[in-house]
Amino acid sequence: SDVCSSDLAVGSLVFLQNKHLLHAWDTVHNSETQFRFVADRVGEMVAVLDASGHFLYASASHARHFSSASARSGANWLLLVHPDDLNRARSFLENIGNQGPNARLSLRLRLANGTVQNTECHANPVHLEEGKPGLIVLVCRFVRQPQQLRESA
């Protein structure tokens, strides 16, 4: 009976280690995909948000346009969005898991100097467990002709 319970314990331990190994492998693969997504957009505003839209990381390019407090870790990205675009932006973040990689949204952001800038955002969800996005990699760039941009899935 002691042998059976120790075999069961070892089997359970091996199962858990393999499960964590597979999760780590998936994380590395997702990280590589996310790195390529970001690396292709050097010079744009890159942010990593948690699933509720709070900054975990903001590239240095944010400092040129927004106050340091508005893009600091823990700050809400939605506070940068123009009030007229807020509902669309909120819906975009809430549904990012259903939109797939490189989802797009055009909206207006409010800059630190009080001006409003037309912006195109591309988002990639990072799925951490059970297909639910745990992080969002968001790349934004200012545009001049917002009428040509559309929200896409």
Side-chain angles (χ1 to χ4, degrees):
S1 134
D2 288 337
V3 172
C4 287
S5 64
S6 67
D7 286 345
L8 184 58
V10 169
S12 295
L13 181 62
V14 169
F15 172 78
L16 288 174
Q17 287 177 333
N18 285 339
K19 182 179 173 183
H20 291 296
L21 182 61
L22 287 173
H23 179 69
W25 178 258
D26 288 342
T27 300
V28 168
H29 181 270
N30 286 337
S31 295
E32 180 182 351
T33 301
Q34 296 301 322
F35 173 76
R36 287 185 182 151
F37 178 73
V38 172
D40 289 343
R41 290 159 172 82
V42 173
E44 296 177 339
M45 293 176 293
V46 178
V48 177
L49 309 175
D50 65 15
S52 62
H54 292 90
F55 282 100
L56 298 173
Y57 166 81
S59 63
S61 55
H62 282 81
R64 290 192 301 266
H65 309 289
F66 306 103
S67 71
S68 58
S70 65
R72 77 183 187 303
S73 182
N76 189 341
W77 176 76
L78 291 171
L79 295 177
L80 301 178
V81 175
H82 187 278
D84 292 344
D85 296 336
L86 192 56
N87 288 335
R88 283 188 320 110
R90 186 177 291 116
S91 177
F92 180 74
L93 291 180
E94 289 171 356
N95 296 304
I96 192 71
N98 301 327
Q99 297 176 31
N102 210 19
R104 291 179 8 158
L105 173 70
S106 51
L107 50 71
R108 292 164 291 175
L109 295 178
R110 297 179 301 166
L111 307 185
N113 65 7
T115 62
V116 174
Q117 182 64 53
N118 294 309
T119 308
E120 179 178 0
C121 299
H122 294 261
N124 269 352
V126 178
H127 299 282
L128 298 181
E129 44 182 75
E130 299 179 15
K132 296 178 183 176
L135 303 174
I136 301 165
V137 177
L138 186 68
V139 178
C140 297
R141 67 181 180 87
F142 296 145
V143 294
R144 294 184 186 181
Q145 299 172 346
Q147 68 274 12
Q148 294 178 353
L149 301 173
R150 306 216 192 300
E151 183 175 354
S152 69

